[in-house]
Amino acid sequence: MSTPPREHVQYQSDAFDVGDLAATPFEQWQRWYADALAADVPEPDAMIVATLDDNGAPDARVVLLRDIDDRGPVFYTSYESAKSTQLDARPVAAGVVTWVTLHRQVRFRGAVERVDAHQSDAYFSTRPRGSQIGAWASPQSGELPDRDALVALVAAAEQRFEGRDVPRPPQWGGWRILADTVEFWQGQRDRLHDRLRFERAGDTWTVTRLAP
Ligand SMILES: Cc1cc2nc3c(=O)[nH]c(=O)nc-3n(C[C@H](O)[C@H](O)[C@H](O)COP(=O)(O)O)c2cc1C
């Protein structure tokens, strides 16, 4: 397959330089996230997270960014999923967010840790009931014989929690990526894109400009 010829896109953005950056990558990330919300970018929370399997081969999937604090981004999943099994064995991850209509990308890498159970409880309680039921019903990344099997698992979970609140399943919760490298990419005219990379240096951060 070849892709059809397309117009050569000229990105036109404001210059983006070291002086424009927030003090930490996570504050900068929140600024860009706010811009993405204001610009109605589709799926502004979508984030690709890559992990390593038992053989050291990379694996990747989309998850939803649910929090960014001064330690890094957080997403939620099943602790029994393939990604969590991989993170338990090799607790490092890399990730990418793009707000493509703004010609922006954030790339990050770091160690991971499980989110505190209270924080996972608090987030789980805000989810729609259907998602809460799904978290109990779906053995994420396990093999199913057919779709009916999944429907039956959901029906069983619905029956189990009929008439009461759905608590967080113990095998479901958050991961935080303790990003120690975070790169901000802003598309510019004539391919002179801006790339500014934060690297953690103890309690502070250094910033380096990279060639596009
Ligand atoms: C837009 C989008 C958002 C998603 N968000 C999540 C999420 O927040 N958590 C999650 O576990 N899976 C999410 N998924 C599904 C994952 O991509 C993946 O299929 C699932 O987590 C199983 O991955 P694993 O087998 O590598 O563990 C999302 C998929 C898409 C396309």
Side-chain angles (χ1 to χ4, degrees):
M1 188 196 103
S2 63
T3 56
R6 296 177 64 226
E7 287 280 309
H8 206 62
V9 179
Q10 273 287 4
Y11 298 149
Q12 292 191 42
S13 307
D14 294 338
F16 178 57
D17 213 338
V18 178
D20 303 313
L21 289 172
T24 76
F26 307 121
E27 290 169 51
Q28 181 60 37
W29 190 333
Q30 278 166 336
R31 282 186 193 173
W32 275 18
Y33 180 70
D35 291 345
L37 292 182
D40 275 333
V41 170
E43 296 289 2
D45 306 324
M47 159 168 105
I48 294 167
V49 172
T51 50
L52 294 171
D53 73 10
D54 278 350
N55 300 317
D59 201 358
R61 79 289 291 153
V62 177
V63 294
L64 293 179
L65 173 69
R66 281 296 168 245
D67 191 22
I68 315 167
D69 62 19
D70 57 6
R71 289 165 292 172
V74 168
F75 67 92
Y76 289 87
T77 192
S78 164
Y79 287 138
E80 293 174 351
S81 64
K83 74 181 86 50
S84 292
T85 307
Q86 292 165 357
L87 290 172
D88 283 332
R90 296 176 186 245
V92 289
V96 188
V97 173
T98 179
W99 300 290
V100 73
T101 52
L102 298 181
H103 319 132
R104 284 178 173 174
Q105 166 183 261
V106 181
R107 280 171 75 178
F108 50 97
R109 308 172 74 184
V112 297
E113 65 177 22
R114 289 187 185 209
V115 163
D116 174 67
H118 298 295
Q119 189 176 338
S120 290
D121 285 340
Y123 173 62
F124 189 79
S125 70
T126 68
R127 303 188 84 212
R129 188 174 174 90
S131 305
Q132 293 177 332
I133 292 286
W136 279 95
S138 169
Q140 193 179 51
S141 314
E143 295 184 7
L144 295 169
D146 52 30
R147 192 162 213 289
D148 287 348
L150 181 60
V151 172
L153 286 166
V154 171
E158 271 166 355
Q159 202 174 16
R160 178 173 175 186
F161 295 107
E162 199 177 343
R164 60 190 177 105
D165 288 346
V166 183
R168 176 177 65 88
Q171 80 284 2
W172 188 97
W175 286 101
R176 178 179 292 106
I177 302 173
L178 303 164
D180 50 17
T181 306
V182 187
E183 181 196 316
F184 293 84
W185 187 101
Q186 169 74 71
Q188 298 292 0
R189 288 181 72 82
D190 301 322
R191 299 295 189 261
L192 298 178
H193 313 307
D194 290 317
R195 295 181 62 188
L196 297 175
R197 183 176 66 198
F198 282 87
E199 284 173 287
R200 196 184 280 281
D203 289 342
T204 171
W205 294 89
T206 60
V207 177
T208 309
R209 175 174 283 274
L210 301 173

